[in-house]
Amino acid sequence: GLGWTVKLARGPFLGEAAVAADMARGPARETVGLVLDWEGIERLYEARGVPPELPATAWRGGEPVYGAGRWVGRATSGTWSPTLKKYLAIALVEKGSAAIGTELEMELTVEFRRERVRATVVERPFFDPARKRETPEAATAAVGGA
């Protein structure tokens, strides 16, 4: 997804052929947003006899992500969103697993054991309020305009 950073028409450069071939082929992986199944997380903690633990800050690591029982990528960061009331993650997954609505699984560590929880690929940004997309003129008109 960083093809916009390279201008092939700008002139010859080292690695130009390799970059052009890669751009023509397209990326093998895509960055996606995941929403983890909160009820599934609660069940994992309940099975260990402890209450669910929410991260106080965003975690950054390489948590494995699975699709159809096989490894398809890794979650690079995640956290609990108090605004959306959802456990969110960003993951780099194989292109075939990147479609919105795809059901995947992500590993979580619960009481020192690696467990899997259902995760759904969702659109990003996770939070995109209408007020952010409004022009200043439209916002002014909506409140009576001055």
Side-chain angles (χ1 to χ4, degrees):
L2 295 176
W4 60 272
T5 64
V6 177
K7 300 282 188 236
L8 292 175
R10 196 162 186 201
F13 58 90
L14 249 115
E16 179 180 9
V19 170
D22 194 48
M23 289 176 83
R25 184 175 44 253
R29 297 179 305 264
E30 290 188 34
T31 302
V32 298
L34 297 176
V35 172
L36 280 65
D37 175 41
W38 180 248
E39 288 78 21
I41 293 172
E42 285 181 321
R43 281 191 295 278
L44 294 177
Y45 279 89
E46 185 179 329
R48 300 281 173 245
V50 294
E53 186 178 320
L54 296 174
T57 61
W59 53 263
R60 291 163 184 80
E63 301 300 327
V65 175
Y66 301 90
R70 66 179 193 81
W71 185 88
V72 295
R74 67 182 181 278
T76 56
S77 62
T79 194
W80 171 258
S81 169
T83 302
L84 299 177
K85 308 282 190 269
K86 295 178 182 179
Y87 199 121
L88 308 173
I90 300 288
L92 187 62
V93 299
E94 294 174 355
K95 193 172 191 155
S97 299
I100 303 298
T102 302
E103 295 289 325
L104 302 172
E105 291 182 309
M106 190 182 98
E107 275 191 10
L108 288 179
T109 302
V110 178
E111 288 296 293
F112 308 102
R113 290 190 162 186
R114 305 293 285 175
E115 304 282 356
R116 291 185 190 182
V117 67
R118 186 171 49 91
T120 305
V121 177
V122 297
E123 286 189 45
R124 292 179 310 147
F126 294 110
F127 182 64
D128 191 19
R131 68 177 183 272
K132 188 175 102 179
R133 295 183 303 277
E134 289 179 350
T135 63
E137 296 79 21
T140 303
V143 294

